[in-house]
């Protein structure tokens, strides 16, 4: 699979404080990768280094396999929106995009209208940027990213400040860009449930270090938290479980329910064990964590 | 670089500030000449209604012209420097940004200076009493001022690009173009070989230029160019180097 972004031992220090510890990261073509971390984890610093806004203290960045000056040139194949998009407040959407169109050498003027249509701002193109709502500003930021038909988008908090409708629109737009135009996306957001609906890969960052890197399938698998059973005889079931697994952790709850916190991967065996020994299993459920809970367990669980 | 310059030009031409600042600058010149003219109409003995006096306001206002350059730079760039990060993200090199912005603001600044100069001569020679060789003297003194004023403009550009606050820029300009001569004289008086250094200070040169103009003895002097070029090259090189490593967020 082609690698779009690759960092090697990328490090950023501010006043002798390591914000990003030597970090190796790669983004492969076609992925929608979510970078997840608490405030101050180093997400924005990492994005800003990718965007060239911050100079790395150490390490190297490659885009499309290219480094150095060639990598800087390769930025033209990427679209960055880091935090709030900046535009000239007194310019209209069209004027703002025209400024960047000229700057990036996009030949066709009609491209401005095309990208405004993609982000659903075509009918607001004459409005001045300062009169735009937060959601419209974010969408114009994405339009700017799309102006030069990029292969990859790097979006830091693209749904920041948006209402529910705006969030759904951006999600649909990003999915469409990924599926129809094969645009690779690296995205961060504080709204983890939204990322779960969007991303195909999840990278967790804490104190400038990647602490976990999972595909959507891995996350689903890893976030299986516990088995919940409803049996006719909880005492007998508990006895059987204790005998079969020395270190098993389970709780007996009202209404004939048992929850098992470990040996989750042995769910099938547990089920058979109970049935073979005459315990009637009325309900067997594998309970999964959502991304938010997984994140909290990963980040805050480690802190405890 | 051409694309970046074109885009910056598009921005400048679509901003009111360029037109407003230019009109204000030119209007001030017209007002100054008209006030002198009408003062003489009111009082025939009014001694300052001469082209010489009008021109001396420019020759004696080197610092003011540099401050106008600062205001011009401020009006043209304003808060727009915050958009630099977008350009950097999209692969425009910091060098391109640094030099393109300089080329463009300098071009407009020079244009307004030349128009102002011509307007001044036209007004001075048409509605005020003109003295012999006053235009020639004015032009020579102006040419002497050019490198000093431009060095001030370059310093402003560098400090603005490095995001130094406006108040520090003004302090720096005042120090360099008003107090530098006195300071160098005091500091290096006891050191043989350096005790003449103050003669090359911008403030000393600007004063000297004004004196020669008043004496109607303005002459082209390479000292202005030496000082101007040294300050310009040093400030631009340091600026470009520092800007290339600047964190922009």
């Amino acid at each position: 699979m082609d690698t779009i972004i690759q960092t090697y031992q990328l490090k950023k220090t501010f006043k002798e404080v390591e914000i990003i510890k030597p970090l190796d990261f790669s983004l492969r073509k076609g992925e929608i990768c979510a970078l997840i971390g608490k405030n101050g984890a180093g997400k924005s610093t990492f994005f800003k280094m990718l965007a060239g806004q911050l100079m790395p203290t150490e390490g190297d960045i490659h885009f499309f396999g290219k480094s150095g000056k060639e990598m800087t040139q390769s930025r033209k194949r990427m679209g960055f929106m880091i935090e709030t998009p900046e535009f000239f407040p007194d310019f209209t959407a069209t004027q703002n995009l025209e400024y960047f169109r000229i700057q990036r050498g996009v030949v066709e003027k009609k491209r401005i209208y095309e990208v405004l249509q993609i982000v659903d701002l075509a009918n607001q193109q004459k409005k001045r940027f300062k009169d735009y709502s937060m959601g419209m500003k974010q969408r114009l930021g994405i339009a700017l990213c799309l102006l030069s038909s990029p292969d990859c988008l790097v979006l830091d908090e693209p749904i920041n400040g948006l209402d529910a409708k705006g969030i759904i629109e951006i999600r649909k737009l990003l999915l469409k860009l990924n599926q129809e135009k094969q645009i690779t996306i690296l995205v961060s957001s504080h709204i983890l449930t939204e990322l779960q609906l969007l991303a195909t890969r999840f990278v967790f960052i804490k104190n400038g270090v990647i602490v976990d890197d999972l595909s959507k399938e891995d996350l689903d698998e890893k976030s299986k938290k516990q088995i919940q059973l409803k049996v006719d005889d909880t005492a007998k079931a508990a006895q059987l479980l204790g005998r079969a697994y020395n270190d098993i952790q389970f709780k007996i709850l009202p209404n004939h329910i048992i929850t098992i916190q470990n040996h989750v991967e042995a769910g099938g065996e547990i089920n058979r064990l109970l049935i073979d020994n005459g315990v009637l299993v009325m309900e067997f459920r594998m309970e999964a964590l959502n991304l938010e809970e997984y994140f909290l367990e990963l980040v805050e669980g480690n802190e405890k | 670089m051409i694309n970046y310059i074109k885009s910056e030009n598009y921005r400048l031409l679509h901003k009111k500030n360029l037109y407003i600042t230019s009109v204000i600058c030119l209007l001030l010149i017209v007002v100054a000449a008209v006030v002198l003219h009408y003062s003489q109409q009111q009082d025939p003995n009014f001694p300052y209604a001469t082209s010489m006096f009008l021109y001396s306001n420019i020759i004696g206002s080197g610092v003011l012209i540099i401050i106008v350059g600062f205001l011009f730079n401020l009006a043209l760039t304003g808060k727009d420097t915050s958009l630099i990060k977008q350009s950097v993200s999209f692969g425009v090199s910091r060098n391109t940004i640094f030099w393109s912005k300089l080329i463009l603001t300098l071009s407009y600044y020079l244009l307004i200076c030349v128009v102002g100069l011509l307007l001044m001569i036209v007004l001075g020679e048409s509605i005020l009493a003109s003295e012999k060789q006053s235009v020639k003297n004015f032009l020579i003194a102006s040419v002497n001022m050019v490198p000093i004023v431009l060095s001030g403009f370059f310093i402003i550009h560098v400090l603005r690009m490095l995001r130094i606050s406006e108040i520090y820029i003004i302090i720096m300009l005042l120090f360099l173009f008003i107090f530098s001569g006195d300071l160098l004289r005091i500091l290096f008086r006891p050191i043989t070989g350096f005790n003449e250094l103050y003669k090359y200070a911008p403030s000393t040169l600007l004063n000297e230029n004004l004196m020669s103009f008043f004496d109607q003895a303005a002459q082209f002097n390479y000292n202005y160019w030496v000082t101007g070029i040294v300050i310009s090259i040093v400030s631009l090189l340091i600026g470009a180097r520092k800007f290339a490593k600047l964190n922009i967020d």
Side-chain angles (χ1 to χ4, degrees):
Chain A
M1 199 183 267
D2 297 342
T3 302
I4 307 284
I5 299 173
Q6 178 80 55
T7 70
Y8 299 95
Q9 296 291 294
L10 194 68
K11 181 178 153 183
K12 183 67 188 172
T13 307
F14 285 118
K15 293 176 184 168
E16 294 179 15
V17 179
E18 274 190 346
I19 305 297
I20 296 286
K21 300 192 172 88
L23 191 146
D24 292 321
F25 169 82
S26 66
L27 180 71
R28 291 171 292 273
K29 192 177 176 184
E31 283 182 331
I32 301 182
C33 177
L35 190 65
I36 300 162
K38 292 206 300 189
N39 282 340
K43 300 187 300 290
S44 292
T45 306
F46 179 63
F47 279 131
K48 284 175 185 173
M49 283 196 284
L50 293 181
Q53 295 172 9
L54 294 181
M55 304 304 247
T57 310
E58 281 173 28
D60 206 2
I61 300 170
H62 289 204
F63 290 146
F64 305 97
K66 288 170 181 155
S67 63
K69 278 191 177 173
E70 278 185 303
M71 179 272 286
T72 306
Q73 287 298 310
S74 299
R75 282 213 175 89
K76 288 175 182 162
R77 292 174 62 187
M78 313 205 32
F80 288 92
M81 188 171 87
I82 312 295
E83 294 171 338
T84 322
E86 300 271 0
F87 288 98
F88 302 114
D90 290 321
F91 277 18
T92 63
T94 312
Q95 286 175 325
N96 269 304
L97 293 181
E98 175 66 4
Y99 168 79
F100 285 106
R101 183 192 71 81
I102 299 168
Q103 194 172 102
R104 288 197 224 161
V106 178
V107 181
E108 293 195 338
K109 233 177 172 179
K110 68 174 184 186
R111 181 70 188 147
I112 291 176
Y113 187 71
E114 285 172 7
V115 292
L116 284 173
Q117 266 187 324
I118 293 173
V119 298
D120 201 19
L121 282 177
N123 54 350
Q124 304 281 352
Q125 57 180 311
K126 301 280 180 214
K127 212 172 179 177
R128 286 191 292 185
F129 180 70
K130 66 180 177 188
D131 298 325
Y132 269 21
S133 68
M134 187 66 182
M136 289 159 83
K137 286 178 180 175
Q138 297 289 91
R139 278 188 280 154
L140 187 62
I142 294 176
L144 173 62
C145 290
L146 297 174
L147 195 61
S148 49
S149 311
D151 295 313
C152 174
L153 292 178
V154 177
L155 309 169
D156 187 16
E157 302 287 348
I159 51 175
N160 211 3
L162 298 187
D163 57 15
K165 187 171 169 280
I167 290 173
I168 294 167
E169 280 172 9
I170 297 285
R171 186 212 311 152
K172 282 182 179 169
L173 173 65
L174 295 180
L175 284 170
K176 190 175 150 192
L177 291 170
N178 177 257
Q179 284 155 14
E180 291 179 11
K181 299 195 185 291
Q182 284 75 49
I183 295 178
T184 308
I185 299 171
L186 175 62
V187 62
S188 82
S189 172
H190 281 105
I191 306 171
L192 301 186
T193 46
E194 212 32 60
L195 290 181
Q196 195 161 19
L197 294 171
L198 181 70
T200 55
R201 182 180 160 205
F202 303 87
V203 174
F204 296 85
I205 184 168
K206 183 184 172 187
N207 299 330
V209 177
I210 292 177
V211 288
D212 213 347
D213 185 345
L214 305 169
S215 67
K216 194 169 176 61
E217 295 74 33
D218 287 343
L219 178 75
D220 291 343
E221 190 60 35
K222 260 198 159 183
S223 58
K224 283 173 187 166
K225 166 100 171 157
Q226 63 179 12
I227 297 167
Q228 184 173 300
L229 298 166
K230 188 169 185 182
V231 293
D232 62 340
D233 187 345
T234 49
K236 190 175 177 187
Q239 203 179 22
L240 286 168
L241 289 171
R243 232 184 278 151
Y245 305 96
N246 288 334
D247 59 341
I248 196 159
Q249 292 171 4
F250 62 87
K251 282 181 195 162
I252 299 174
L253 304 174
N255 300 322
H256 299 277
I257 288 174
I258 298 179
T259 57
I260 303 169
Q261 280 79 39
N262 59 351
H263 293 287
V264 178
E265 68 292 343
E269 284 174 31
I270 290 169
N271 194 22
R272 195 180 305 128
L273 172 79
L274 296 176
I275 292 169
D276 288 352
N277 287 282
V279 176
L280 179 63
V281 180
M282 292 176 279
E283 207 175 287
F284 181 97
R285 206 162 61 204
M286 198 74 89
E287 287 195 329
L289 294 173
N290 63 25
L291 183 60
E292 211 159 57
E293 289 164 333
Y294 184 81
F295 167 70
L296 288 173
E297 191 175 273
L298 184 74
V299 174
E300 291 181 356
N302 287 350
E303 281 172 1
K304 280 172 191 168
Chain B
M1 189 163 191
I2 298 294
N3 284 344
Y4 193 82
I5 291 178
K6 278 185 188 168
S7 70
E8 282 289 289
N9 196 39
Y10 173 86
R11 176 179 70 85
L12 292 182
L13 292 176
H14 282 79
K15 279 182 78 109
K16 289 177 196 152
N17 291 356
L18 174 67
Y19 306 104
I20 293 171
T21 319
S22 306
V23 167
I24 288 174
C25 288
L26 298 178
L27 213 59
L28 284 174
I29 294 172
V30 174
V31 168
V34 169
V35 165
L36 290 177
H37 174 70
Y38 276 99
S39 299
Q40 207 238 352
Q41 299 279 307
Q42 299 296 315
D43 176 8
N45 295 323
F46 182 70
Y48 302 114
T50 63
S51 58
M52 186 78 175
F53 183 77
L54 181 69
Y55 302 154
S56 71
N57 281 294
I58 290 295
I59 305 302
S61 308
V63 179
L64 198 69
I65 295 168
I66 293 167
I67 299 288
V68 168
F70 175 56
L71 294 176
F72 205 75
N73 188 299
L74 214 59
L76 294 194
T77 54
K79 287 178 181 168
D80 300 342
T81 42
S82 60
L83 268 86
I84 290 175
K85 69 174 187 180
Q86 311 269 59
S87 305
V88 168
S89 304
F90 294 115
V92 182
S93 78
R94 283 169 162 78
N95 259 334
T96 300
I97 294 170
F98 183 88
W99 295 108
S100 303
K101 278 189 181 287
L102 176 67
I103 290 168
L104 218 64
T105 46
L106 180 66
S107 305
Y108 282 111
Y109 180 61
L110 283 179
L111 181 69
I112 199 71
C113 283
V114 169
V115 173
L117 208 74
L118 293 175
L119 182 66
M120 203 133 192
I121 292 172
V122 168
L123 289 170
E125 298 306 306
S126 59
I127 63 169
L128 298 173
S130 179
E131 287 152 43
K132 199 181 167 190
Q133 296 212 316
S134 59
V135 175
K136 187 186 161 200
N137 259 323
F138 176 51
L139 287 176
I140 293 171
S142 298
V143 168
N144 282 338
M145 274 177 76
V146 166
I148 305 290
V149 169
L150 286 187
S151 67
F153 190 84
F154 294 144
I155 288 172
I156 291 164
H157 174 74
V158 166
L159 296 177
R160 292 270 304 141
M161 292 303 282
L162 296 178
R163 300 181 169 196
I164 307 292
S165 86
E166 284 83 1
I167 189 73
Y168 288 117
I169 297 178
I170 291 177
I171 291 170
M172 174 91 175
L173 293 175
L174 292 179
F175 166 74
L176 206 61
F177 295 97
I178 294 182
F179 304 115
S180 57
D182 291 336
L183 194 79
L184 287 178
R185 190 162 43 197
I186 294 164
L187 280 177
F188 293 114
R189 191 184 293 164
I191 307 169
T192 319
F194 286 99
N195 52 0
E196 298 278 294
L197 198 63
Y198 76 93
K199 287 183 178 170
Y200 289 89
S203 60
T204 314
L205 291 169
L206 287 174
N207 284 334
E208 198 180 276
N209 193 38
L210 181 64
M211 291 306 128
S212 331
F213 177 74
F214 273 136
D215 295 341
Q216 300 207 25
Q219 276 187 330
F220 178 79
N221 188 338
Y222 71 90
N223 283 0
Y224 298 94
W225 290 87
V226 170
T227 301
I229 289 170
V230 167
I231 293 176
S232 302
I233 290 177
V234 169
S235 59
L236 287 174
L237 286 182
I238 292 174
R241 204 179 155 85
K242 275 195 156 296
F243 185 70
K245 291 175 183 168
L246 188 73
N247 287 330
I248 301 169
D249 63 337

